[in-house]
Amino acid sequence: MAKRVLVSGGAGYIGSHVTVELINAGYEVVVADNMSNCDMTCFEGVKKITGRDDIPFFEIDCCDYEAVEKLFAENSIDAVIHFAAYKAVGESVAQPIKYYRNNLVSFLNILEVAKAKGGCNVLFSSSATVYGEAENLPVTEQTPRLPATSPYGNTKQMCEDILRDSVAAYDGVKGIALRYFNPIGAHPSALIGELPRGVPNNLVPFITQTAIGKRKQLSVFGNDYDTHDGTGVRDYIHVVDLAKGHVAAVKYATATLGCDVFNLGTGTGYSVLDMVKAFETANNIPVPYEIAPRRPGDIDECYADPTRAYEILGWKAEYGIEDMCRDANNWQSKNPNGFEA
């Protein structure tokens, strides 16, 4: 198997959970992050969970080609899982150049260095946004990608294309695009989790911050979508399940050639109000909310058909929606001020 895995953006929410599961599976892990949307909280949590104080950490920006080149040269990287990207849909609509520059340049640098060193397994953190407003649900990996509804989604589509073309052109470069649906929750230890800076862009941190009194009420962005209760429907997946999917994908990439793509989701869609009710039930805490205007770039609903990941990677989600809500609240309760502390 690949011996040493670089996790770019590895001090963040998803990257920290993936680092834990990789180490638990016996991989050597190198973490790189520019700390633009996190601090060392999660990385320190990773060390506590794994009992490892010797995890190599490099504070670099993947948009800096020379820094990426030096990182590869000094650490003999066998595989990369690339998380180092901006991810807020609404912000991408307001600041498209910021998103195109960071998300494309950082990934291009990873691929170019991988090519220059003679090859590497490259796993790309993609998204269900590549499907756009899909005509048929659930979406499979064969569902046509429709025009992206935001610059963020467009960068994911473009990076998938760049990965596919690079694998076809360069010997030794292998790739997998993992299309995430909506990662939520936290490690059951409550030592790592999601702590966004400022106003959250994702639903569950907004719910948890409301539940602990940090925010007066939850803003539900739109109640006129074509769904069972008028609020947007998404496929929410526990971040630990998602992390284990990456371990399965690294193992698969090592043993195969070419480029592939997998959905990582549960196969079940929940609305915003479904999530509020599940959180209240799991934690016995009321979550006051108000209906706010729709956000630009949001769609009615999207949820996965994860069959292919199960059949080929041997992976499937195991946590239920109340598990996700319980772990998210446990983490938030123990870290009420997050990265603002």
Side-chain angles (χ1 to χ4, degrees):
M1 68 178 186
K3 294 181 180 179
R4 185 173 288 110
V5 182
L6 168 63
V7 182
S8 62
Y13 173 46
I14 300 176
S16 61
H17 287 83
V18 169
T19 298
V20 166
E21 297 304 326
L22 286 168
I23 291 172
N24 287 345
Y27 291 91
E28 297 178 32
V29 180
V30 176
V31 173
D33 205 301
N34 69 357
M35 313 305 291
S36 65
N37 194 39
C38 62
D39 62 15
M40 295 300 286
T41 302
C42 282
F43 186 67
E44 292 301 321
V46 168
K47 292 194 287 187
K48 291 177 182 177
I49 292 169
T50 60
R52 291 278 302 275
D53 288 325
D54 59 344
I55 305 169
F57 175 81
F58 297 86
E59 186 171 347
I60 69 165
D61 189 334
C62 288
C63 289
D64 181 342
Y65 179 85
E66 291 183 355
V68 175
E69 187 177 42
K70 181 179 179 183
L71 181 63
F72 270 72
E74 294 179 350
N75 292 279
S76 185
I77 303 300
D78 300 305
V80 182
I81 305 178
H82 183 65
F83 295 108
Y86 297 139
K87 62 177 184 176
V89 171
E91 183 184 53
S92 78
V93 174
Q95 301 183 56
I97 292 176
K98 173 183 177 179
Y99 273 67
Y100 285 118
R101 176 180 290 116
N102 181 79
N103 293 7
L104 297 180
V105 172
S106 64
F107 190 52
L108 285 167
N109 284 346
I110 291 288
L111 283 170
E112 189 165 0
V113 173
K115 173 182 73 73
K117 74 178 288 292
C120 190
N121 298 315
V122 180
L123 280 69
F124 173 62
S125 167
S126 191
S127 166
T129 59
V130 302
Y131 295 114
E133 191 96 48
E135 295 179 2
N136 298 301
L137 294 172
V139 293
T140 72
E141 291 82 355
Q142 288 72 45
T143 296
R145 295 186 324 177
L146 298 178
T149 58
S150 68
Y152 162 75
N154 202 25
T155 66
K156 294 300 185 183
Q157 290 184 343
M158 294 170 74
C159 286
E160 283 194 1
D161 293 342
I162 292 167
L163 179 61
R164 180 199 63 222
D165 293 344
S166 297
V167 170
Y170 307 125
D171 291 340
V173 178
K174 298 187 287 184
I176 294 179
L178 297 172
R179 293 173 178 168
Y180 309 164
F181 281 69
N182 291 71
I184 63 172
H187 194 273
S189 67
L191 290 170
I192 56 176
E194 185 173 16
L195 287 176
R197 285 188 167 133
V199 178
N201 291 298
N202 298 326
L203 172 64
V204 172
F206 220 134
I207 291 177
T208 58
Q209 289 184 13
T210 303
I212 66 168
K214 187 176 177 65
R215 301 191 180 279
K216 181 179 179 182
Q217 58 189 0
L218 168 70
S219 294
V220 176
F221 297 109
N223 66 345
D224 58 349
Y225 288 101
D226 185 18
T227 64
H228 66 273
D229 62 13
T231 62
V233 169
R234 300 292 183 270
D235 186 338
Y236 296 94
I237 178 173
H238 198 295
V239 66
V240 172
D241 278 332
L242 184 75
K244 291 179 179 178
H246 287 74
V247 177
V250 169
K251 181 178 179 180
Y252 173 75
T254 304
T256 59
L257 298 174
C259 191
D260 216 328
V261 60
F262 295 96
N263 287 336
L264 295 183
T266 67
T268 302
Y270 292 96
S271 73
V272 174
L273 294 184
D274 289 336
M275 289 298 300
V276 171
K277 293 174 184 176
F279 185 91
E280 291 177 332
T281 299
N283 298 292
N284 195 28
I285 300 172
V287 180
Y289 66 87
E290 65 173 355
I291 303 301
R294 289 191 183 199
R295 296 181 301 183
D298 281 347
I299 63 175
D300 290 346
E301 59 182 331
C302 186
Y303 56 95
D305 179 346
T307 302
R308 192 165 186 271
Y310 176 69
E311 292 178 344
I312 297 177
L313 302 181
W315 170 91
K316 65 178 179 179
E318 297 177 354
Y319 287 90
I321 195 68
E322 291 189 12
D323 297 320
M324 304 179 206
C325 292
R326 188 178 301 109
D327 288 343
N329 185 62
N330 188 30
W331 159 252
Q332 180 73 75
S333 299
K334 294 179 178 178
N335 299 273
N337 296 315
F339 297 138
E340 297 171 4

